[in-house]
Amino acid sequence: MLNFSYTGKKEGQDISGIIEALTKPQAIAKLRAQKITVSKINEAKTNGSSGADPEIKTFLGMQLHSDKLSDLDVMMFSKKLETMMKADLPIMDSILLARRQAKKPGMIKLTNSIIEDLNQGRSFSSALEKFPKYFDDSYVNMVKAGESSGTLALFLNKIVNLVEKKLKIIKDIKGALTYPIILLTVALLVTTVMLIKVVPVFEEIYGGLGVELPAATQKVIAMSNFLKNPAQGGLLFISTALIITTLVFLNKRIYAVKKFFHAFSLKIPAFGPLVIKSIYAKLAMVLSNLLNAGVPIIEALEISSRVTNNILVREAIARIQQEILTGKNLSELFGNEKIFPIEFAEFMKVGERTGSVDEMFNSLATYYEAEVDNAVGALKQFIEPVMIVLIGALIAGLLLTLYQPIFNMGSVVK
């Protein structure tokens, strides 16, 4: 596909732009279909480029790389558009330049789709709506607000800040969980190796001595024999996989089970406060930006509820949506929901008195971003000593259990 810059007239008015087509005659035919009388058309060149589109790499007719885009890809795409539009580059030229720079198949296809929609007279926001996986309702609504107010670059800046903050929260949570997961994995591997390799040596020694083994030692030896047996080890693996699969299935299919797990996750020491505070931060960020963009409060609440999958939070927001139609204050409604802390209600009261509810949500977002940072630090401080003690106790317990018969033999000799 090539890009052609054109000038002409439509309904008596001068018009110019860029259109995508395989050949110049096809480009002219497309413009005529849009009722544009072409006076001049040439193949477009961008920054000295040949005008050729970036190609998706294939091997034996198969695409080499996935179409999937990460949150970081979407953020960088938004940041590029914001930078170009701040320099007064039209949206079409900005997308064309983004496509020239695209390397991932998903980004090439995304920009091609947007360019095609823009060429057909659709808005940028409607072009983004085709990709809900990457551009959620809050993103699209903020773009619509930018288009309607003629300040798309400003709203793209808000979007970039919003996405950056969301990514930071996600990164903080992943960073806090990585360390304990690694330690737990190491603990399980060490325990398994000891049961399979070390315990049989002790079993052989005690068998030769003919001593009666304590109950704890017999249980450890039984666990070792269980794991060494291929059939029993396979049974353990299948049973574990079956239990996990069943729990995942029930969590997806049964609402009550899903709600139970969501409530339980918020009560886990150190981890629960981190999760709920990250939800508060993202919720406040989205509400602040949507209200600032002029989105009605009912619609803003509906969109913001999708920043989390937690059922308790979603149910609370749904109740607030219904109750706000009765004329109650937002501060009162947030205050009535136990899932939200008192800070929400207090900040809302100030916002309602001063007529700056969107600014209060922004303040809440800033407040809970700091709280997330504190919660990450608290989780790390909590997890590190707990995991070290747990691993030490596990290994020490195994060793004491294995050496207990020797200690008993010493007491018998005395």
Side-chain angles (χ1 to χ4, degrees), residues 154-168:
L154 175 64
F155 277 89
L156 280 172
N157 178 260
K158 291 178 180 291
I159 289 168
V160 169
N161 290 334
L162 179 65
V163 175
E164 281 180 335
K165 288 176 180 178
K166 283 184 179 179
L167 287 178
K168 180 182 179 298

Side-chain angles (χ1 to χ4, degrees), residues 173 265-266 270-280 282 310 375:
I173 293 175
S265 68
L266 301 182
F271 175 74
L274 173 59
V275 172
I276 194 63
K277 285 174 182 177
S278 70
I279 292 172
Y280 295 154
K282 288 187 287 185
N310 190 281

Side-chain angles (χ1 to χ4, degrees), residues 287-288 291-292 330 347-364:
L287 279 170
S288 171
L291 293 175
N292 185 260
L330 203 58
F347 273 76
M348 289 306 95
K349 283 179 184 177
V350 176
E352 287 164 349
R353 284 200 301 266
T354 59
S356 56
V357 175
D358 57 330
E359 291 180 13
M360 287 301 104
F361 274 119
N362 187 52
S363 299
L364 273 170

Side-chain angles (χ1 to χ4, degrees), residues 158-198:
K158 291 178 180 291
I159 289 168
V160 169
N161 290 334
L162 179 65
V163 175
E164 281 180 335
K165 288 176 180 178
K166 283 184 179 179
L167 287 178
K168 180 182 179 298
I169 291 171
I170 293 169
K171 182 181 177 182
D172 286 344
I173 293 175
K174 286 182 177 178
L177 294 179
T178 300
Y179 181 74
I181 289 172
I182 291 173
L183 283 180
L184 188 60
T185 304
V186 170
L188 290 173
L189 287 174
V190 169
T191 303
T192 303
V193 170
M194 287 186 69
L195 287 171
I196 294 175
K197 298 292 184 182
V198 178

Side-chain angles (χ1 to χ4, degrees), residues 2 38 58 66 73 77 84-85 111 127 146 203-204 231 239 266 268 274 286 323 372 393-394 405:
L2 300 174
V38 181
T58 59
S66 168
D73 292 326
F77 170 73
M84 290 185 280
M85 294 197 70
T111 49
E203 182 184 11
E204 187 176 343
S239 301
L266 301 182
I268 300 173
L274 173 59
V286 172
E323 289 293 322
V372 168
L394 190 62

Side-chain angles (χ1 to χ4, degrees), residues 64-75:
L64 289 178
H65 302 289
S66 168
D67 286 342
K68 188 176 180 181
L69 296 176
S70 67
D71 290 336
L72 184 60
D73 292 326
V74 174
M75 188 194 74

